[in-house]
Amino acid sequence: MKKSYEQLIESLKAQGFKFTFAEFDEIGNYLPEDSDWNYKDVTHLNHVHTKVHSVLATALDDMTTCINLQNISLLGVKIPLSMVNYEFDKFNQIYFTSSGPFVIIGNTLSELHGKDQTKVITKFAIGSKGFVSIFHPLIKFVLSKNHKKLMEEDTPMRVRRGLLRKNGHSFYIPKETYPFYFSEEISRSNIFLKKNR
Ligand SMILES: [Fe+2]
């Protein structure tokens, strides 16, 4: 059983939760496979990202769990966030975390845009019960800033793969969609030149 992004939100609404939503769209010169891989690549987290340190618990086929030590510069604190990330469908990942009375649910979709570009749609739902929902705008602001920083750091990895594809390369995927655990097998030749190139 896998709940969709909308089903998760509905289940919490039934428990009296109220939500504030945010959406971010990016269009880039890479394929949906590349952004999907980027979100599943557990190894880059502590090398590429500067505002978060990830303590990995599991990297499985279609799911990963970790404890993210997230730097919130605005508040000058580092908070631990238990994070669950699962593939709901092809190029459709769902992740969630909570802290105190707040829950944050995310959903990232990668879709082909034109011939060789990709549109990445990231949706966030910030939820809580009662008066603490007055803090939703602040959380949304912090989330937006964090998302912008993450994209600055992640996009070059995706664009690099897009450039290599244009240059006759392809990337090995052991299944129909990239498994989280496979990103740890960095000693393999996961990139190759297409035939006759
Ligand atoms: Fe990343």
Side-chain angles (χ1 to χ4, degrees):
M1 189 282 281
K2 284 179 180 174
K3 271 203 171 104
S4 69
Y5 174 69
E6 291 78 14
Q7 285 172 326
L8 270 177
I9 292 166
E10 285 310 313
S11 300
L12 285 161
K13 275 186 178 172
Q15 296 300 314
F17 273 69
K18 296 256 185 309
F19 283 90
T20 298
F21 299 94
E23 185 176 321
F24 309 99
D25 297 346
E26 276 95 24
I27 293 170
N29 295 319
Y30 44 82
L31 290 185
E33 281 84 347
D34 301 326
S35 45
D36 190 62
W37 158 80
N38 186 204
Y39 288 105
K40 288 172 175 167
D41 175 40
V42 295
T43 59
H44 83 285
L45 292 168
N46 293 335
H47 298 283
V48 171
H49 293 303
T50 51
K51 296 281 179 194
V52 64
H53 182 91
S54 190
V55 176
L56 200 64
T58 64
L60 308 174
D61 191 346
D62 57 359
M63 184 174 150
T64 185
T65 60
C66 62
I67 301 162
N68 275 348
L69 307 176
Q70 180 73 47
N71 243 346
I72 314 280
S73 318
L74 183 77
L75 308 173
V77 290
K78 195 174 238 186
I79 53 167
L81 293 169
S82 302
M83 188 77 73
V84 174
N85 181 350
Y86 62 96
E87 179 178 74
F88 174 68
D89 207 352
K90 191 176 184 181
F91 304 146
N92 180 339
Q93 290 185 47
I94 295 170
Y95 33 93
F96 58 84
T97 189
S98 64
S99 192
F102 304 104
V103 62
I104 298 171
I105 308 170
N107 186 204
T108 296
L109 306 147
S110 300
E111 51 192 51
L112 202 59
H113 185 79
K115 196 168 75 70
D116 52 6
Q117 282 194 317
T118 293
K119 185 175 182 185
V120 180
I121 302 154
T122 305
K123 295 184 261 187
F124 283 111
I126 304 154
S128 68
K129 278 176 87 163
F131 80 96
V132 290
S133 64
I134 56 165
F135 293 105
H136 284 192
L138 176 68
I139 297 172
K140 188 174 170 176
F141 176 73
V142 171
L143 210 59
S144 307
K145 267 188 68 149
N146 188 55
H147 179 77
K148 190 167 174 272
K149 182 74 183 158
L150 285 175
M151 286 306 103
E152 277 171 21
E153 293 168 343
D154 273 330
T155 304
M157 296 176 68
R158 304 173 190 181
V159 170
R160 185 67 173 161
R161 278 170 82 105
L163 281 169
L164 284 162
R165 284 186 194 280
K166 280 205 174 98
N167 204 3
H169 295 77
S170 194
F171 299 88
Y172 181 66
I173 297 181
K175 294 187 157 197
E176 204 206 337
T177 58
Y178 202 85
F180 288 94
Y181 74 83
F182 199 74
S183 68
E184 292 188 297
E185 300 201 19
I186 52 173
S187 58
R188 289 178 48 105
S189 298
N190 288 320
I191 172 169
F192 56 89
L193 270 168
K194 286 179 196 156
K195 254 189 170 163
N196 306 322
R197 294 294 293 267

